[in-house]
Amino acid sequence: MSGRERVRRSALRWVLLLQGGALLMPFFLLAMVALGLAIPGVVPLGPPLAWQFAGLGLALPVAALTGLLLPPLRALEASAVRTLCGVPREALATGPATSWASRRRTAAWFTLHAGVGAVVSGMTLAVPPMAVVLLVYPLFPVLQEVEWSWPWDHAGAAVWTAPPAGCALLLGLAAVAHGTGALLARCAPVLLGPTPADRLAAAERRAADLAERNRLARELHDSVGHALSAVSLQAGAARHVLDTDPRFTREALAAIEETARNAVTELDSVLGVLGLPGRPDGPDRPDRPGHSGHSGHSGHSGRSDRSGRPQEPRQQPGDGGPGRAPSLADGLEPLLARTRATGAEVRLTLDPGLGPLEELPYEVSAAAFRIVQEGLSNALRHAPGAPVRITLEAHRAPHGPELVLGAENPVPDVPVPARASGGRGLSGIAERARLLGGSARAGPEDGVWRLTARLPLRPAPATGPRTSTGTEADTATGTTTSGETNADAGADTDTETSTDTVAEAGRESSG
């Protein structure tokens, strides 16, 4: 730091000290008036000087009480410290003091700021005039005729000692201001910095942001990725039979048009969560899942399952409109039709015990739809032309009824080269299952690539958002997903990696 920068920083800290003295002035005047009323003969702001220090001592507890009872004071003081003291932004809290621990720290800071600032402000008002008088004292005989209350006599030969004394006073004032400013800059991060509760809240906000980003990434991967895979296969099939089978070519082009249109619709619904509040597709849309303003999708619907327990909100037929992710009820048949348009043979087996798909909990139905979509995408990408079998069954597990979803296709004899940037779909399936308290597994078995997901029909609360890479294993629910693809079906080992976003964010904030 250059000398000019040091002078500038010291000057700004001096301004912060003067601000502290100005903030204490109302409390100081109140204390002096109280002393004048309580003790006869005390003149506010008059001699002796001891009464003024007594008023300062009485004003500081009142200032501390103010810092304790006014939560927004921390944000105001932190803003002043960042601007005038040069303290880094990340070292100071940005919001009001919400906990009593942060309020006590704010009260301590405000008391220190006001008390030290009052002393430096008093010196700033008194020392410069006195120093000017001493500097010009030898030049004006009229000043030598005045009886000054100085601790030494400047008359006679000692008259020229006055200018050095004036310079010493100015240097002393500058040194005191510099030292107290440095003291405030050192204490500010301790007293105005984030408390452990603030760090935890910030970590939770970061974890929520990461979870939302991961959710958007999964939705985009599943919807747009599947559409692009289907369009690619449909276009390739149409190109091969363009001259020999015009009818199939027209059907393929129509399927490409419908697939692209549906992909745009799903993309709009996914990006709708980024809209501003109040927009038709914004996050406060009444028909958005989980919004409290829509009775059909929040709380309980009032119906019970076979065990008499309240059911989760049900997906209504045709309720998958803009701003709402597709589910098995409204998206499964169009999905299968688009996949069959690529020339693939897709068979669907529904368990009668499962009941109407419209009666499934929406969260489970939407997650199951995405899992089926990803299973079909993998089959189209890694085993083109192979028949695919989709099964939806209802099982009775020890923890309650669950939806068991399966997707299987033969492993191709000649592996399709894997994409360098692939591998996100299976981890997304595992994450979806885990968030509902279920499990997922994928891998080759006896020449067949088999994907199996188990989703409780009464989803358990999630233990916390996580981000996953490659394969994931959840020890709490038994979630295991193979990181292999159909192109790597011969591999013998699976890797499993999982990172906890909340814990990671907490470690970042504490570091």
Side-chain angles (χ1 to χ4, degrees):
M1 183 184 298
S2 63
R4 179 177 298 179
E5 286 295 325
R6 290 192 180 93
V7 172
R8 180 178 178 273
R9 175 164 295 183
S10 297
L12 290 177
R13 290 175 178 177
W14 200 336
V15 173
L16 181 68
L17 291 166
L18 297 179
Q19 181 192 64
L23 291 174
L24 188 66
M25 184 58 65
F27 306 105
F28 175 71
L29 294 177
L30 182 62
M32 293 304 300
V33 171
L35 281 176
L37 295 176
I39 303 176
V42 175
V43 179
L45 303 181
L49 192 61
W51 289 117
Q52 297 187 28
F53 282 102
L56 176 63
L58 292 177
L60 290 178
V62 183
L65 184 62
T66 303
L68 190 66
L69 298 180
L70 291 181
L73 187 61
R74 182 176 72 166
L76 298 175
E77 288 287 321
S79 178
V81 169
R82 278 194 300 270
T83 304
L84 300 176
C85 271
V87 177
R89 180 182 180 86
E90 59 273 11
L92 302 176
T94 57
T98 55
S99 64
W100 284 109
S102 59
R103 291 189 182 191
R104 287 191 292 268
R105 293 186 181 187
T106 303
W109 164 261
F110 189 61
T111 305
L112 176 65
H113 181 202
V116 175
V119 174
V120 175
S121 297
M123 294 177 61
T124 303
L125 291 174
V127 170
M130 183 184 303
V132 170
V133 170
L134 289 172
L135 289 173
V136 300
Y137 184 80
L139 305 178
F140 294 91
V142 65
L143 295 178
Q144 303 174 19
E145 297 174 0
V146 180
E147 294 184 2
W148 301 95
S149 300
W150 291 335
W152 68 91
D153 185 10
H154 294 296
V159 70
W160 293 104
T161 61
C167 293
L169 285 176
L170 293 177
L171 292 176
L173 175 61
V176 170
H178 176 78
T180 52
L183 174 65
L184 291 183
R186 183 179 294 271
C187 294
V190 177
L191 299 178
L192 293 179
T195 62
D198 295 327
R199 293 189 179 95
L200 179 60
E204 290 175 347
R205 287 193 297 270
R206 284 195 294 270
D209 292 340
L210 289 175
E212 182 65 11
R213 290 174 58 186
N214 291 337
R215 189 185 70 82
L216 287 174
R218 285 197 306 268
E219 294 291 336
L220 289 173
H221 175 275
D222 293 345
S223 59
V224 179
H226 170 79
L228 293 178
S229 297
V231 165
S232 175
L233 290 174
Q234 290 163 350
R239 179 173 58 85
H240 285 296
V241 298
L242 179 61
D243 298 326
T244 60
D245 195 347
R247 179 182 177 183
F248 179 83
T249 301
R250 286 192 296 270
E251 292 177 353
L253 292 176
I256 290 174
E257 180 183 4
E258 181 184 0
T259 301
R261 186 184 301 113
N262 292 333
V264 171
T265 301
E266 288 193 33
L267 181 62
D268 288 340
S269 68
V270 171
L271 297 182
V273 298
L274 301 178
L276 297 175
R279 282 180 47 182
D281 60 347
D284 59 347
R285 178 185 170 103
D287 63 345
R288 189 171 297 282
H291 193 283
S292 60
H294 194 288
S295 61
H297 302 295
S298 63
H300 295 290
S301 62
R303 292 177 290 183
S304 304
D305 60 8
R306 298 180 180 90
S307 63
R309 298 178 181 176
Q311 290 178 310
E312 295 293 327
R314 302 301 188 187
Q315 166 72 358
Q316 302 300 325
D319 197 26
R324 188 171 178 82
S327 64
L328 293 178
D330 54 40
L332 181 59
E333 288 301 331
L335 173 64
L336 297 180
R338 293 194 299 270
T339 306
R340 292 183 179 118
T342 65
E345 177 186 350
V346 182
R347 291 181 296 165
L348 173 64
T349 302
L350 286 176
D351 183 4
L354 188 61
L357 297 181
E358 292 81 1
E359 292 296 316
L360 293 176
Y362 172 77
E363 293 80 2
V364 177
S365 183
F369 173 83
R370 291 303 190 192
I371 293 175
V372 171
Q373 188 179 54
E374 180 60 28
L376 292 174
S377 297
N378 281 339
L380 294 177
R381 186 179 303 117
H382 300 293
V388 184
R389 181 169 178 261
I390 304 295
T391 58
L392 298 175
E393 301 176 348
H395 283 195
R396 176 69 63 175
H399 56 269
E402 64 180 10
L403 169 64
V404 179
L405 186 155
E408 59 183 44
N409 61 272
V411 175
D413 296 331
V414 179
V416 177
R419 296 175 303 166
S421 60
R424 300 183 182 90
L426 296 179
S427 61
I429 290 175
E431 182 73 4
R432 290 182 186 277
R434 190 197 66 79
L435 291 176
L436 294 176
S439 61
R441 177 181 292 274
E445 296 180 13
D446 300 328
V448 176
W449 179 267
R450 183 171 288 110
L451 165 66
T452 304
R454 297 178 178 271
L455 306 178
L457 292 179
R458 288 190 297 272
T463 57
R466 294 184 184 181
T467 57
S468 304
T469 304
T471 302
E472 177 174 344
D474 192 326
T475 57
T477 60
T479 303
T480 305
T481 303
S482 171
E484 297 174 318
T485 64
N486 286 327
D488 321 310
D492 297 328
T493 60
D494 300 335
T495 58
E496 301 181 354
T497 307
S498 176
T499 57
D500 194 316
T501 304
V502 176
E504 182 179 354
R507 288 194 297 268
E508 291 177 358
S509 63
S510 62

